[in-house]
Amino acid sequence: DQQVKQNSPSLSVQEGRISILNCDYTNSMFDYFLWYKKYPAEGPTFLISISSIKDKNEDGRFTVFLNKSAKHLSLHIVPSQPGDSAVYFCAAEETSGSRLTFGEGTQLTVNP
Amino acid sequence: DAGITQSPRHKVTETGTPVTLRCHQTENHRYMYWYRQDPGHGLRLIHYSYGVKDTDKGEVSDGYSVSRSKTEDFLLTLESATSSQTSVYFCAIRLDRAGELFFGEGSRLTVL
């Protein structure tokens, strides 16, 4: 039972354009959502998060949108840069939980 | 700054042999986690610990055991390694910020 799902294994965009990565979840108890970025041969690193009481959180070029009714969140990267090429994982946690559930990941490639 | 050391970073072993992976943190974070990363599956939780001698199972715990005798060390043991346990294993600690995990650099295990 995949509670957090990233349906696109890969995404390719041109430098300077917008990258949109999507994530769906099924567990209505999830109330905190995070995005992690992973480069090859490194551990995942935290990128941005959002609480269920918000529908948007912005940090520089990165914005996360949350649609609770649709159980859907997305990560927007504007403008995309070649250095953004990495695997992006969506993750979620329940209220007062202590464990993150991750999606399968999306490989983003930003072409110069 | 949080610091995690995983050892060994790379290991090749044969089916049926025991393997222990070690995770060492330089601070005193209460929660520690072991995840495995596999193509198409993302990051899946194996076991986690919420204190010395306090551990719990994750979603893919079969074939794995853990121990935490000191706050700073969290060991993952494969009692009898199988080829299906070929993977990259990541240790993580939970930071004070909600939901945020800090990951080690990973241990690549190959079971022949």
Side-chain angles (χ1 to χ4, degrees):
Chain A
D1 177 26
Q2 189 72 24
Q3 297 187 65
V4 178
K5 194 147 186 67
Q6 296 175 254
N7 290 308
S8 298
S10 63
L11 175 67
S12 182
V13 300
Q14 287 299 120
E15 181 179 4
R17 305 296 290 270
I18 184 171
S19 295
I20 300 176
L21 295 93
N22 294 303
C23 178
D24 296 297
Y25 61 95
T26 58
N27 187 345
S28 58
M29 298 300 293
F30 287 148
D31 71 342
Y32 201 74
F33 305 88
L34 306 92
W35 285 92
Y36 282 78
K37 179 169 71 173
K38 185 185 180 304
Y39 293 117
E42 295 183 9
T45 56
F46 170 75
L47 186 58
I48 193 169
S49 63
I50 188 168
S51 164
S52 61
I53 63 174
K54 295 185 175 181
D55 54 18
K56 176 183 174 180
N57 188 28
E58 197 170 350
D59 183 2
R61 296 185 297 113
F62 302 90
T63 303
V64 56
F65 295 91
L66 175 63
N67 183 333
K68 292 186 289 295
S69 61
K71 292 190 176 66
H72 177 83
L73 64 155
S74 60
L75 174 68
H76 293 209
I77 306 173
V78 183
S80 301
Q81 299 174 353
D84 295 330
S85 297
V87 176
Y88 290 78
F89 291 103
C90 168
E93 184 174 78
E94 295 184 18
T95 306
S96 70
S98 57
R99 43 192 284 180
L100 289 182
T101 300
F102 285 83
E104 305 94 325
T106 297
Q107 171 69 58
L108 173 65
T109 302
V110 180
N111 302 301
Chain B
D1 288 346
I4 293 179
T5 303
Q6 289 188 229
S7 58
R9 294 291 314 281
H10 300 272
K11 186 172 182 65
V12 180
T13 191
E14 295 192 348
T15 298
T17 60
V19 175
T20 295
L21 304 180
R22 179 177 181 251
C23 177
H24 176 81
Q25 63 162 320
T26 57
E27 299 185 347
N28 292 316
H29 294 283
R30 181 182 172 196
Y31 285 86
M32 298 184 75
Y33 304 81
W34 278 108
Y35 283 87
R36 60 178 288 178
Q37 184 198 359
D38 304 288
H41 292 280
L43 293 159
R44 292 181 292 175
L45 181 64
I46 305 171
H47 281 280
Y48 68 103
S49 169
Y50 46 95
V52 173
K53 299 191 189 306
D54 292 323
T55 64
D56 205 351
K57 295 179 179 180
E59 57 188 305
V60 289
S61 59
D62 288 348
Y64 301 95
S65 62
V66 290
S67 66
R68 191 166 178 201
S69 58
K70 297 185 291 184
T71 299
E72 59 266 34
D73 290 327
F74 191 32
L75 304 181
L76 177 69
T77 297
L78 291 66
E79 301 290 346
S80 178
T82 67
S83 58
S84 65
Q85 293 175 312
T86 292
S87 186
V88 181
Y89 292 86
F90 289 99
C91 176
I93 56 176
R94 186 182 184 91
L95 302 181
D96 293 335
R97 296 178 288 280
E100 188 176 335
L101 302 185
F102 179 84
F103 285 86
E105 295 185 329
S107 295
R108 180 175 292 277
L109 175 66
T110 302
V111 183
L112 301 176

